[in-house]
Amino acid sequence: MKKRIVALDRKLGRIWARIGGTVFLVIGLLATMSLVESEGFSLQTHWPGLAIAGLFFLAAIGCFRSRRGLVDTISDSHPDRNG
C-alpha cells in the first residue's frame, strides 16, 4: 500500500510540475510576442522585458525537469525524507 501511495505522490508531483511549466511557458511566449510585436521594437529599449521572458522560460524548464513528489514539493517535513 505504501508503494502505491508513493507512486501516486510522484505522479501527482509530475503533473503539478507539468502544469506549472506549461503556465510559465505560455507566459514567456506571450510576453515575447507582445514585445516583438510592439511598435518601435528594438533590443536596446526592450531588453528588460526580454530578460523577464527568459526567466519565465528558465522557470518552465525547471518545472519540466522536476521529478519530486507532490508532498516533497509542498512540505518541508516529509516523514520519509533522509537527513
Side-chain angles (χ1 to χ4, degrees):
M1 182 70 174
K2 186 175 180 177
K3 288 183 179 184
R4 291 178 118 182
I5 292 174
V6 170
L8 180 64
D9 176 53
R10 293 276 181 206
K11 189 173 192 175
L12 289 174
R14 285 191 298 263
I15 290 170
W16 182 256
R18 293 289 174 357
I19 290 171
T22 303
V23 168
F24 284 138
L25 184 65
V26 168
I27 291 172
L29 287 173
L30 291 175
T32 303
M33 286 174 30
S34 173
L35 285 170
V36 171
E37 292 175 353
S38 68
E39 193 172 319
F41 172 77
S42 71
L43 289 176
Q44 294 172 346
T45 58
H46 290 83
W47 68 266
L50 291 173
I52 291 171
L55 290 175
F56 278 110
F57 290 136
L58 287 176
I61 290 170
C63 285
F64 286 134
R65 287 186 166 191
S66 175
R67 298 287 181 245
R68 297 174 66 188
L70 189 59
V71 173
D72 292 336
T73 303
I74 295 174
S75 175
D76 287 336
S77 59
H78 188 273
D80 291 336
R81 183 176 290 173
N82 296 332

